[in-house]
Amino acid sequence: MADTTVTMDKIVSLAKRRGFVFQSSEIYGGLSGAWDYGPQGIELKNRIARFWWKEMTQLHDNIVGIDAAILMHPRVWEASGHVENFTDPLVDCKKCKTRFRADQIPPENLAARKCPECGGELTETRKFNLMFKTTLGPVEDESGLVYLRPETAQGIYVNFKNVQQSNRMKIPFGIAQIGKAFRNEIVTKNFIFRTCEFEQMEMQFFVKPGTDEEWFEYWRDQRWNYYRKLGIDMNKLRWHRHGPDELAHYAKDAYDIEFEFPMGFKELEGVHNRSNYDLSRHQQYSGKDLQYIDQDNGNERYIPFIIETSAGLTRQLLMLLCDAYEEQKVADKGNEDDWRTVLHFHPDVAPITAAVLPLMKKDGLAELAQDIRAELKEDFVTDYDQAGAIGRRYRRQDEIGTPFCVTIDYQSKEDGTVTVRDRDTMLQERVSRSHLSEYIRAKIKSYKRAERIS
Ligand code: GAP
């Protein structure tokens, strides 16, 4: 009996082998905390981003988007509290030189100042600020100091008035943004789970003080349902409410949605009640009036409260790989073809939607297949493969999670039909070429995650 447990090693190996994720600067030995996204990885990442963007903006009339610069005025990070508070406790082993986050080693080791790796002596715990610094302009001194943003949220807060006034937004309303964030993490492990360069998908929802708790519940609900729509196994998700010691410096209340990764339940996304902390601080530090004027209520003025939903795009990609991965026994012939590795992505996010495969290269089948592919690629991301036995080609597509394989055979030449193989059930249906796009679109729309066999 083969061991079909999903492990991080299997995910890392598939991700490299099938062009999802590569180590950054691999030919130079790699750079810890940074990863590159290959042809399948970038399609998947873009499609997750698109799925989230649609969910947050297109499906909510009162949410608009922005794309703020990564580099911001350094005062932003003083106002936000990051210069003072965005720190992790750090200890080093004097003997083996390993660096640890003090809150991630056993408390008894910390108390005895004993290295959990080699037993050597640990340094005193000191605070380490996670923000990357660089300089703007040709002179490398403090006057040009800027930070690489550690969260995308602040780009939204400083544009609160610009967006509200230019788009005549009325509270309650939200601003969504997807973009890179950088943190000089002390420990980066578990592949792309925690990296120094990553992407966030954040939405800041501005509400009237006093209505914040109601909206907080609303957004917790919305974000939970998002994962259901994405076809995630909901048994692998759970809530974790932050205790008083865990709350970030800005938070009044906070919940994480956690996913059961191969290394256990870990944070996937946070939903935070940030109170009026952020806008009050930016008002104080910038000297600009950031109050909202409620023209429908006698020009009442107030600093809005903010409910934030903050998801990691790259972490969501890892979650999708882990959730979709399955090693499945599909035959009993006693050879390697008995097994397939399949990624059960929701078709809305699968890197390739349809692969077009001529049964044979000869007899005009390849030309016909290319013709059909040319039609399909107007509507879908497609792949074309004519190399090797058809069974092997199906397996290759299963491994990158392609939901539909369109096969062109001799009958296709006769009657203009093709077969469409469903990735999850492996069943094939004959479909007329003229209805192919429509058929695939309808299948995507009605997609339901199938029960797992294993
Ligand atoms: N604006 C609030 C904020 O940034 P956070 O809990 O620090 O909150 C939100 O981060 C999300 O960003 C996390 O739930 C995670 O998905 C992602 N994230 C944070 N740090 C990360 C890292 N070093 N690598 C990858 N993703 C990260």
Side-chain angles (χ1 to χ4, degrees):
M1 181 69 192
D3 182 2
T4 57
T5 315
V6 182
T7 64
M8 199 55 94
D9 284 347
K10 289 180 184 177
I11 298 292
V12 174
S13 152
L14 176 88
K16 176 170 182 185
R17 184 159 39 88
R18 302 316 315 269
F20 284 94
V21 183
F22 308 122
Q23 203 181 8
S24 162
S25 330
E26 192 187 72
I27 59 170
Y28 289 98
L31 180 73
S32 78
W35 297 85
D36 298 339
Y37 291 80
Q40 272 60 252
I42 179 63
E43 286 294 344
L44 179 59
K45 187 147 70 73
N46 283 345
R47 298 194 83 191
I48 300 168
R50 191 68 231 156
F51 192 92
W52 182 90
W53 193 257
K54 175 178 174 185
E55 174 73 20
M56 302 305 271
T57 65
Q58 194 173 325
L59 298 180
H60 285 96
D61 300 341
N62 54 359
I63 300 182
V64 290
I66 63 160
D67 183 24
I70 288 171
L71 301 177
M72 303 178 73
H73 196 290
R75 290 277 284 166
V76 167
W77 304 108
E78 288 170 31
S80 70
H82 282 79
V83 170
E84 197 186 330
N85 298 312
F86 198 54
T87 56
D88 273 343
L90 171 77
V91 286
D92 287 308
C93 173
K94 292 184 180 169
K95 193 169 156 204
C96 70
K97 311 288 179 216
T98 310
R99 183 157 277 184
F100 303 95
R101 253 176 73 172
D103 54 346
Q104 288 180 350
I105 60 173
E108 53 281 14
N109 284 70
L110 194 61
R113 304 232 331 243
K114 188 172 166 201
C115 173
E117 300 275 315
C118 75
E121 192 192 344
L122 294 175
T123 60
E124 292 273 0
T125 306
R126 58 190 192 279
K127 281 182 169 183
F128 171 74
N129 195 297
L130 272 70
M131 283 197 292
F132 280 103
K133 290 178 184 167
T134 187
T135 43
L136 199 63
V139 184
E140 285 185 27
D141 65 12
E142 283 289 306
S143 67
L145 171 72
V146 285
Y147 300 97
L148 301 188
R149 66 180 177 198
E151 61 170 12
T152 58
Q154 299 300 327
I156 295 181
Y157 305 145
V158 299
N159 278 298
F160 164 69
K161 276 261 152 147
N162 284 339
V163 174
Q164 191 262 318
Q165 288 171 354
S166 64
N167 279 44
R168 293 181 292 116
M169 305 299 289
K170 289 194 170 172
I171 275 182
F173 75 90
I175 305 177
Q177 178 171 216
I178 298 176
K180 291 252 181 185
F182 301 83
R183 294 182 189 179
N184 201 355
E185 298 282 359
I186 297 167
V187 181
T188 54
K189 59 178 181 190
N190 291 318
F191 193 31
I192 54 171
F193 177 80
R194 187 180 304 286
T195 51
C196 292
E197 177 175 347
F198 57 100
E199 278 173 77
Q200 289 188 314
M201 306 188 287
E202 297 200 303
M203 193 281 299
Q204 313 296 324
F205 200 72
F206 301 89
V207 304
K208 185 169 180 177
T211 65
D212 52 304
E213 287 177 17
E214 206 179 300
W215 282 111
F216 187 55
E217 286 312 308
Y218 172 84
W219 280 108
R220 286 215 304 131
D221 239 43
Q222 291 284 309
R223 295 308 302 152
W224 186 259
N225 285 330
Y226 164 89
Y227 291 102
R228 199 187 306 281
K229 279 193 187 176
L230 196 53
I232 304 307
D233 180 350
M234 298 304 281
N235 295 315
K236 292 198 205 138
L237 293 178
R238 71 177 189 194
W239 285 107
H240 165 73
R241 187 178 196 176
H242 285 208
D245 303 345
E246 289 170 278
L247 281 177
H249 59 274
Y250 50 73
K252 171 178 163 188
D253 200 354
Y255 279 82
D256 291 337
I257 297 178
E258 295 185 335
F259 175 77
E260 192 175 12
F261 289 95
M263 64 281 186
F265 273 100
K266 299 273 177 210
E267 175 183 345
L268 182 63
E269 131 159 37
V271 183
H272 311 135
N273 183 342
R274 295 182 70 131
S275 71
N276 59 3
Y277 175 85
D278 301 281
L279 290 184
S280 302
R281 294 274 292 195
H282 284 304
Q283 174 164 287
Q284 184 194 339
Y285 278 68
S286 68
K288 298 284 179 318
D289 183 359
L290 295 181
Q291 293 178 99
Y292 174 74
I293 304 166
D294 188 348
Q295 291 172 340
D296 298 335
N297 281 303
N299 287 338
E300 188 188 350
R301 288 167 171 261
Y302 56 82
I303 301 236
F305 269 46
I306 293 169
I307 309 301
E308 168 183 65
T309 72
S310 176
L313 169 54
T314 39
R315 195 172 287 183
Q316 215 172 97
L317 188 145
L318 177 62
M319 183 268 293
L320 275 165
L321 284 173
C322 298
D323 181 61
Y325 185 97
E326 186 177 21
E327 287 166 13
Q328 214 180 29
K329 187 158 195 189
V330 289
D332 214 353
K333 296 188 189 126
N335 61 33
E336 65 182 60
D337 290 342
D338 286 355
W339 288 86
R340 69 166 182 161
T341 300
V342 54
L343 294 177
H344 298 279
F345 293 133
H346 190 297
D348 270 337
V349 296
I352 309 268
T353 307
V356 180
L357 317 171
L359 192 60
M360 302 287 201
K361 278 184 254 181
K362 55 183 187 179
D363 301 328
L365 294 187
E367 290 75 9
L368 181 57
Q370 289 283 17
D371 223 38
I372 291 174
R373 189 208 183 175
E375 274 168 23
L376 281 183
K377 72 183 175 193
E378 289 289 334
D379 296 328
F380 308 106
V381 179
T382 59
D383 191 12
Y384 176 84
D385 188 2
Q386 59 177 28
I390 190 76
R392 288 280 155 83
R393 284 184 269 161
Y394 286 148
R395 295 286 187 278
R396 282 203 284 270
Q397 295 299 331
D398 289 342
E399 275 203 333
I400 58 169
T402 306
F404 308 105
C405 283
V406 176
T407 307
I408 284 62
D409 56 16
Y410 287 99
Q411 191 178 330
S412 311
K413 278 178 51 172
E414 311 275 303
D415 64 5
T417 62
V418 297
T419 64
V420 182
R421 172 184 177 273
D422 179 292
R423 174 200 64 204
D424 295 343
T425 62
M426 295 190 292
L427 296 175
Q428 304 198 11
E429 257 189 278
R430 273 211 103 79
V431 179
S432 143
R433 175 181 173 178
S434 56
H435 290 122
L436 192 52
S437 285
E438 211 178 297
Y439 171 91
I440 292 174
R441 241 192 309 273
K443 281 275 180 188
I444 295 175
K445 197 137 199 187
S446 64
Y447 176 80
K448 285 265 175 318
R449 186 197 174 100
E451 286 297 310
R452 294 296 168 83
I453 291 171
S454 56

